[in-house]
Amino acid sequence: PTIGTATAGNTTASVAFTAPANTGGGAITGYTVTSSPGGVTGTGTSSPVTVSGLTNGTAYTFTVVATNAFGNSVPSAASNSVTPALVATYLVVAGGGGGCGAGGGAGGYRAGSSVGALSGTYTVTVGAGGAGVISDNFARGGNGVNSVFGSITSTGGGGGGDNNEVAPNRTGADGGSGGGGGASGANIYAGGAGNTPATSPSQGNNGGTNGGIQGSPYYGTGGGGGAGAVGGTATSSVNGAGGAGLSSSITGTAIFYAGGGGAGTATLSGVAGVGGNGGGGNGATGGGNGSAGTSNTGGGGGGGGANSRTGGNGGSGVVIISSPVAASSTTGSPTVTTVGANTVYKFNSSGSITF
C-alpha cells in the first residue's frame, strides 16, 4: 500500500492509505496499521484505519501492510508524525440582527477545536438578539450582541435596512452576517457585509440587496445573510429570503444555527421572504410584523410589512463546549449532557466554566 496522511485524535490516530495496484493475484482481505513507537495496531478492510490505545503527548508514525490469501505485503513507507492529544470542540453563535423593512443578519458562527486539555476558567458570554424596529422610521434594525468563549468572539448580526428615504439607513448593517438592504424608489441599496470583522473560517455572509425593484406595486427588500449563504435578493414581487445557516452536531444531534431573517414587503402587494434554516424569522406581508429569530440559534429577525410595521427581534446566541474532561464548576446554569466520551455544556445565557 501507499501511505497517506495520519491524523491524530484523543488517544487515537486515523491513517489513510492507497490500495496497492499489484495484489499478487489474490484479493486483499484486510490491512494492518502499526505505530512506531509502541507497535500498537489497528485493522480494517479499507482506508482509513483507526489505531486506538495510543498515549497522548507521544509522537507516532505509522506503516500499513496489506493481507491476502498469499500472506502479507511489505510495509509501506512511514507516515507523517502526529501526536495524539485531548481535543475539546466549541460552537459560538452571536445574537442575530433585528429586522426593519429588510431582514436581519444572523449572528456570527464560529466552530473549532482546542488541542490539549482545557485548563482554568473561561468566561462565556451569550449575546442577545438585536431589536426589531418600525420600518419607514429612519433607522435600521439593531445589531445583535457578540458571544464569547474565552478568546473566541462571534460578532452580532447586522440589522436590516429601513424603507424610508434616508440613504445610510437603507443599507443593511455589517456584522457576523449582514442585514438585508431596504427598499428604494430610485436606487439599489446593498445588504450589509458579513464576516465583519474578518475571521477564518468566515463567520457569516453578506445580506441581500433590494434588487432594484423600484416601481409600484412592488418595492424590493433584501434578506439577511446567514452563516451558510448570502441573503436573498428581491426579484420582481418576491422579496429576499434569509440566508441559510450551518448545521452542527456538537450536541449529538444535527441542528442548524445562524439563519438570516427574511425580508418584509415594502408595499401591500408582493411575497415576503422566508427566514433562513437556522432560526431566521420570516418576513411579513402587507401590514404584518416580522417574526423574531429563534432564541439560542442566532437567527436574524424577519422584516416588517408595509405601513410602518415592526421587524422581528433577532434570536439570542448560544455557546456550546464539548470536552473529554468534565468541568470542575460552572456558572450560568448550562445544560449538561454526555455525547460519546465527551461532556457537553450548552450555555443559553452568560456564565463561566472552569476545568
Side-chain angles (χ1 to χ4, degrees):
T2 301
I3 196 68
T5 301
T7 305
N10 178 21
T11 71
T12 66
S14 176
V15 182
F17 53 87
T18 303
N22 184 356
T23 64
I28 293 174
T29 56
Y31 297 91
T32 301
V33 176
T34 303
S35 74
S36 177
V40 183
T41 61
T43 59
T45 57
S46 63
S47 173
V49 168
T50 297
V51 181
S52 302
L54 303 174
T55 300
N56 285 343
T58 299
Y60 294 91
T61 60
F62 301 89
T63 56
V64 58
V65 169
T67 301
N68 65 11
F70 301 106
N72 295 332
S73 70
V74 296
S76 70
S79 72
N80 56 299
S81 178
V82 296
T83 303
L86 293 170
V87 178
T89 58
Y90 58 82
L91 174 65
V92 182
V93 180
C100 184
Y109 175 110
R110 299 190 66 185
S113 61
S114 172
V115 177
L118 295 169
S119 179
T121 299
Y122 299 81
T123 298
V124 174
T125 302
V126 175
V133 301
I134 298 173
S135 61
D136 302 313
N137 197 39
F138 307 102
R140 297 185 184 104
N143 277 27
V145 179
N146 297 351
S147 288
V148 180
F149 167 53
S151 63
I152 306 299
T153 298
S154 293
T155 308
D162 187 30
N163 293 337
N164 214 298
E165 296 297 332
V166 180
N169 292 329
R170 282 187 162 176
T171 302
D174 301 341
S177 283
S184 169
N187 298 292
I188 294 177
Y189 286 97
N195 195 33
T196 304
T199 64
S200 181
S202 173
Q203 61 177 313
N205 287 282
N206 296 345
T209 75
N210 63 16
I213 310 303
Q214 301 170 357
S216 179
Y218 306 121
Y219 291 89
T221 55
V230 299
T233 295
T235 58
S236 184
S237 62
V238 181
N239 292 271
L246 289 174
S247 177
S248 171
S249 297
I250 190 171
T251 62
T253 302
I255 298 172
F256 275 82
Y257 300 88
T265 61
T267 61
L268 293 176
S269 302
V271 179
V274 297
N277 191 7
N282 292 329
T285 58
N289 295 327
S291 300
T294 303
S295 296
N296 300 121
T297 67
N307 294 346
S308 300
R309 297 301 179 178
T310 303
N313 294 334
S316 55
V318 67
V319 174
I320 306 173
I321 303 150
S322 176
S323 173
V325 176
S328 59
S329 65
T330 62
T331 64
S333 301
T335 301
V336 183
T337 57
T338 300
V339 177
N342 281 17
T343 305
V344 178
Y345 302 86
K346 180 182 180 185
F347 286 84
N348 291 327
S349 57
S350 298
S352 65
I353 187 166
T354 301
F355 292 93

